[in-house]
Amino acid sequence: MKYTRNFGICAHIDAGKTTITERILFYTGYKHKIGEVHDGEATMDWMDQEQERGITINSASTTVTWHYQKQKYKLNIIDTPGHVDFTAEVERTMRILDGVCLVLCAVGGIQPQTKTVWNQINKYKVARICFINKMDRVGANFNKVVTCIHKKLKCKTILLYYPIFKNNKFHGIYDILHLKEIYFTGDKGETVITKTITPQHQNFIKKLREQQIENLISDNEQLIEAFLEKTLTNTTIQELIRKQTIECKLMPIICGSAFKNKGIQTLIDNIIKYLPAPHEKQIQYFTTHNKSKLLTINTVNFVALIFKIINDPYSGRISFARIYSGKVKPGDKIYNCNQKTTEKIGRIVIYKVNKKEEIKQAHSGEIVAFIGLKSTYTGDTLCSENNKLTLEKIHFPEPVISFSVCTENEKDHDKMITAITKTAVEDPTIKITTNTQTNDLIISGMGELHIEVFIERIRRENKLSIIKKDPKVAYKETITQPFLKSIGKYIRQSGGRGQYGHVEINIFPRKLGKGIKFVNKIKSGAIPKEYIKPIKKSIINCCKKGYLTNSPIVDIKIELYDGSFHEVDSNENAFEIAAAIAFKNAFLNAKPILLEPIMLVNITIQAKYLGTIISDIASRRGEIIATKHQTPNYIIKANVPLANMFNYTTKMRSKTKGEIEYNMTLSHYKKLKEK
């Protein structure tokens, strides 16, 4: 484990994560050609849709080796998506990583999704280093980005490298700690040349070095004394940087340009130098009594966390796991603490992007995939049967947007449901529900692109023609005034025994939310008792589908006060039909109206977008209930009709540059219009 690093690369969309990963694969000898994202040839973007759209959708992992100080290191790399719609992929990746490389654009600096990623890094206490990318771009400003990090991320940093510019062009980097200049030459930047700093820049870099070291050792008197006496060695400084980085108290900052092949080799060296090995990160677990304890890593007690599941067309269900302790081999029986089941490992593979490599045994600190687990889901803990414990589950955000789906051909409907249910197992942020009122199949997710990618995958893999549309609004119907003496008669003569039913009812409106009430006021046996139940059943059934839009009827009171029967011709069926006639007549004459669902929307937004959000809510027929200032944000509570909330996520992210968080729940129903 000492020579293993499990790390991820994460950032705001288009900061250059996948480009950096491509260079790492090239320099470590994993591949002999650099694939570019804009050409659709990036190795880590292996899905069709990733290549077509030029974005990362799935977290792709691979394993490479790198020699540092004559020692061979194993690097497990995960390239994560940057788009806000795929934030769940980042969430589950953060849960199992030991370290992370946060990539920032030298022009854009801290962008909206950077903050989301930063919160996830802090949430799971992942050690981090920062790579300021795109130093070659016009407008790149290293100092401005560093200031932005301190201001917006509020973290302690140390500059390890500084950009070298000549004639306003990015040429290489200064190694601040060792007072060297580093250049990357050759066709692909594969040759690293180290030089002594030129005299005209020595004073600036020496001063910068002193500032960084003073900041690093500011709370350690012994080290301050050694620094003043000039006995503080680079080895001691590097050990302190590593210690504070692993404790998440410090973020080393590196710079370069992945696209121009500058700075990647130094990035790999620093990942090995400062990010923790698997055994150096503290892992908590819960006992059967729900007590929290620190996990002791050994070779006997097997403990792993399932962080991702995919359905492979050839191998079936594949469960990705991070092994925290012990070892496992194919054929071993393991216990699932969450599902309370015992399962058998079929095969164990390691993934190199989308290629599988089978292994005979997996050990602590490794990220592997198990084939053959049937009842295991994302977030489940696997362990030895004699050592039952539970690791903390992965907490996924709630879906924020929904769409209705159907097939062009009704015969494919069942096939579509099976395909969607099977694929949804892979993504815990996709929720599948059926609206019992409209019979719509509803898919909910993190954003419009998220759902579009999910549906497109179902289309391609199952050759189905699926239509996506806004879900129908679940309206309800009610009445606004009473209607008395509504008569329903059903009389039929057909040679033999006939049909006879006669019902008289009154109908009254009730307060919203009070439901349906049926009152039997029959006296002196005008209708025999055995027909009362069928009458009530018939009226309740009529309320399931109203007469305005086939929506449910709610909040009414029905009084059955009179009627008559025939000793021979009356039966349950006749009274059910008579009751339905009386009810329809009463309802349509009691000034019926439609009720629309009103959603309680909680919005968290920065002060600069407050006016934009308030005016938008007003344009959606919304009503603001409360506005609360919680520095630096505002929290707005509003009631907005559901019919006006479709595509809200996409439009609001556009208006606020992605800096909006909101959730939506049903509040109540409100009068829409009279008929």
Side-chain angles (χ1 to χ4, degrees):
M1 283 193 287
K2 185 180 177 182
Y3 303 109
T4 299
R5 296 291 182 271
N6 295 318
F7 71 95
I9 298 177
C10 62
H12 181 90
I13 191 169
D14 204 30
K17 299 177 301 302
T18 304
T19 307
I20 289 170
T21 312
E22 281 298 307
R23 269 61 184 178
I24 292 174
L25 297 182
F26 176 73
Y27 295 129
T28 55
Y30 175 81
K31 54 181 294 194
H32 304 289
K33 180 191 172 191
I34 295 175
E36 302 295 1
V37 175
H38 53 266
D39 294 330
E41 294 177 354
T43 308
M44 302 297 261
D45 289 348
W46 57 271
M47 283 177 65
D48 292 346
Q49 291 194 69
E50 289 178 317
Q51 292 166 2
E52 289 166 14
R53 297 172 190 266
I55 60 169
T56 303
I57 293 169
N58 277 314
S59 294
S61 64
T62 194
T63 302
V64 296
T65 56
W66 182 253
H67 286 83
Y68 175 71
Q69 293 183 348
K70 298 180 180 178
Q71 181 62 50
K72 186 179 177 183
Y73 283 81
K74 180 180 175 184
L75 307 178
N76 293 319
I77 311 165
I78 298 185
D79 176 27
T80 64
H83 198 286
V84 64
D85 282 16
F86 306 104
T87 186
E89 280 292 311
V90 185
E91 186 87 18
R92 61 168 143 209
T93 303
M94 290 299 169
R95 175 65 182 81
I96 55 97
L97 289 176
D98 302 318
V100 67
C101 173
L102 176 68
V103 182
L104 298 180
C105 173
V107 180
I110 306 293
Q111 295 166 285
Q113 190 61 11
T114 312
K115 293 178 185 176
T116 306
V117 170
W118 182 254
N119 291 337
Q120 290 169 320
I121 292 171
N122 286 332
K123 180 179 176 182
Y124 294 109
K125 296 182 176 64
V126 187
R128 71 294 309 249
I129 63 173
C130 177
F131 183 78
I132 299 177
N133 191 28
K134 303 191 179 183
M135 290 306 308
D136 61 299
R137 277 186 59 187
V138 176
N141 192 326
F142 180 80
N143 293 330
K144 185 181 176 183
V145 175
V146 172
T147 304
C148 210
I149 290 170
H150 295 147
K151 186 179 175 183
K152 294 187 177 180
L153 302 185
K154 293 181 173 55
C155 67
K156 183 180 174 183
T157 64
I158 183 165
L159 303 185
L160 299 179
Y161 299 89
Y162 197 84
I164 298 173
F165 282 94
K166 293 177 182 177
N167 300 321
N168 292 323
K169 284 190 176 181
F170 177 62
H171 278 263
I173 54 177
Y174 292 110
D175 183 339
I176 296 171
L177 206 57
H178 299 94
L179 299 173
K180 300 285 183 184
E181 289 181 1
I182 302 174
Y183 297 94
F184 305 87
T185 60
D187 292 340
K188 301 292 181 184
E190 60 270 26
T191 307
V192 181
I193 298 172
T194 304
K195 297 179 179 179
T196 306
I197 295 179
T198 50
Q200 65 263 40
H201 295 116
Q202 266 189 9
N203 286 340
F204 170 71
I205 298 300
K206 278 182 180 178
K207 201 171 182 181
L208 192 58
R209 182 180 185 273
E210 285 178 8
Q211 287 173 354
Q212 300 308 308
I213 294 172
E214 283 171 9
N215 185 45
L216 177 70
I217 63 174
S218 59
D219 55 354
N220 190 316
E221 288 183 16
Q222 192 178 345
L223 291 178
I224 292 171
E225 196 174 316
F227 177 64
L228 293 172
E229 292 173 357
K230 297 186 178 178
T231 58
L232 187 62
T233 64
N234 278 347
T235 304
T236 305
I237 293 167
Q238 287 174 332
E239 284 172 358
L240 186 59
I241 293 171
R242 178 174 172 77
K243 182 177 181 292
Q244 290 193 15
T245 302
I246 290 171
E247 291 171 352
C248 300
K249 293 177 181 175
L250 181 74
M251 181 167 72
I253 295 178
I254 303 159
C255 62
S257 168
F259 186 60
K260 295 293 183 182
N261 308 310
K262 290 177 170 56
I264 302 302
Q265 292 96 322
T266 51
L267 171 63
I268 303 170
D269 286 345
N270 282 277
I271 283 168
I272 289 170
K273 218 187 291 184
Y274 300 119
L275 290 184
H279 64 282
E280 292 176 301
K281 185 179 179 182
Q282 292 187 335
I283 305 298
Q284 286 192 326
Y285 71 91
F286 298 95
T287 63
T288 47
H289 303 293
N290 217 25
K291 284 187 178 178
S292 175
K293 291 187 177 181
L294 282 177
L295 184 69
T296 304
I297 297 172
N298 55 49
T299 56
V300 180
N301 296 324
F302 172 72
V303 180
L305 182 78
I306 299 296
F307 69 95
K308 185 172 181 175
I309 287 173
I310 63 169
N311 289 299
D312 187 87
Y314 305 105
S315 305
R317 193 165 177 170
I318 299 176
S319 308
F320 286 81
R322 162 69 197 269
I323 303 174
Y324 287 103
S325 178
K327 55 189 176 182
V328 67
K329 59 183 185 297
D332 283 358
K333 286 189 177 179
I334 49 155
Y335 185 73
N336 185 323
C337 292
N338 299 86
Q339 308 300 331
K340 306 285 189 290
T341 56
T342 300
E343 295 217 60
K344 188 178 179 181
I345 302 285
R347 289 188 291 146
I348 305 174
V349 298
I350 56 170
Y351 261 76
K352 294 195 171 177
V353 192
N354 61 333
K355 294 173 185 173
K356 297 190 285 288
E357 188 178 296
E358 199 160 334
I359 57 174
K360 293 180 180 178
Q361 189 164 274
H363 303 268
S364 305
E366 292 191 299
I367 296 171
V368 298
F370 297 134
I371 299 175
L373 303 182
K374 292 174 184 167
S375 56
T376 295
Y377 297 90
T378 301
D380 285 357
T381 301
L382 304 179
C383 60
S384 310
E385 290 197 73
N386 59 350
N387 180 46
K388 293 175 184 176
L389 55 87
T390 308
L391 298 169
E392 185 185 354
K393 288 201 79 167
I394 306 168
H395 304 289
F396 292 103
E398 287 297 312
V400 296
I401 193 169
S402 300
F403 288 94
S404 167
V405 292
C406 61
T407 52
E408 280 186 4
N409 189 341
E410 281 189 21
K411 291 178 183 177
D412 293 333
H413 185 73
D414 289 343
K415 188 180 176 184
M416 177 189 72
I417 291 174
T418 304
I420 287 174
T421 307
K422 184 181 176 184
T423 310
V425 171
E426 299 181 19
D427 190 344
T429 56
I430 289 281
K431 303 290 182 195
I432 312 296
T433 54
T434 302
N435 188 322
T436 52
Q437 295 176 15
T438 62
N439 288 322
D440 279 1
L441 184 68
I442 307 293
I443 296 180
S444 304
M446 300 308 299
E448 199 166 350
L449 180 62
H450 183 211
I451 293 176
E452 180 58 50
V453 166
F454 179 79
I455 292 171
E456 184 61 30
R457 187 180 158 196
I458 303 289
R459 286 185 187 125
R460 293 184 184 191
E461 290 181 4
N462 300 277
K463 295 179 174 57
L464 287 169
S465 181
I466 299 176
I467 302 166
K468 182 190 82 171
K469 54 188 178 181
D470 288 343
K472 295 173 191 168
V473 177
Y475 292 107
K476 291 184 179 180
E477 300 176 16
T478 192
I479 57 173
T480 54
Q481 68 179 37
F483 185 78
L484 308 178
K485 296 184 180 180
S486 178
I487 300 169
K489 284 187 177 181
Y490 183 69
I491 303 169
R492 291 287 184 274
Q493 292 296 330
S494 54
R497 191 170 179 179
Q499 300 271 338
Y500 184 91
H502 170 211
V503 171
E504 295 187 20
I505 62 169
N506 297 325
I507 191 170
F508 303 91
R510 299 186 79 195
K511 284 185 180 179
L512 289 179
K514 287 291 182 182
I516 299 167
K517 187 177 182 181
F518 178 85
V519 180
N520 176 21
K521 288 199 169 183
I522 295 293
K523 293 176 183 176
S524 67
I527 299 175
K529 283 184 181 179
E530 63 264 29
Y531 297 135
I532 303 299
K533 201 170 180 180
I535 291 169
K536 180 181 178 181
K537 179 187 169 187
S538 176
I539 290 172
I540 297 299
N541 283 337
C542 288
C543 290
K544 289 178 182 176
K545 276 193 175 183
Y547 303 99
L548 303 179
T549 59
N550 287 332
S551 302
I553 295 170
V554 296
D555 305 327
I556 57 170
K557 176 183 171 184
I558 305 104
E559 286 182 354
L560 174 64
Y561 71 91
D562 202 2
S564 63
F565 73 102
H566 188 279
E567 287 184 1
V568 177
D569 292 346
S570 287
N571 55 47
E572 288 187 5
N573 182 59
F575 272 101
E576 283 181 9
I577 296 171
I581 293 167
F583 179 76
K584 183 178 180 180
N585 178 59
F587 181 82
L588 293 174
N589 284 287
K591 288 204 173 175
I593 58 164
L594 275 181
L595 299 173
E596 66 172 339
I598 304 296
M599 311 306 287
L600 175 63
V601 186
N602 293 294
I603 303 166
T604 303
I605 198 72
Q606 288 188 15
K608 60 184 174 182
Y609 298 119
L610 186 63
T612 304
I613 296 299
I614 289 173
S615 61
D616 181 78
I617 288 170
S619 72
R620 295 173 188 271
R621 294 191 293 124
E623 178 188 350
I624 292 174
I625 303 168
T627 305
K628 185 180 177 183
H629 188 206
Q630 212 173 63
T631 310
N633 297 324
Y634 276 88
I635 298 171
I636 302 170
K637 283 190 176 184
N639 283 330
V640 188
L642 175 62
N644 296 328
M645 286 301 289
F646 296 133
N647 299 322
Y648 183 75
T649 307
T650 308
K651 289 175 183 174
M652 283 302 98
R653 282 177 182 166
S654 173
K655 286 185 178 181
T656 63
K657 297 180 182 176
E659 297 185 38
I660 182 171
E661 289 179 23
Y662 85 98
N663 61 63
M664 185 170 68
T665 53
L666 178 66
S667 173
H668 61 278
Y669 273 80
K670 186 179 177 182
K671 174 183 173 181
L672 175 66
K673 56 185 176 180
E674 292 187 11
K675 283 282 181 180

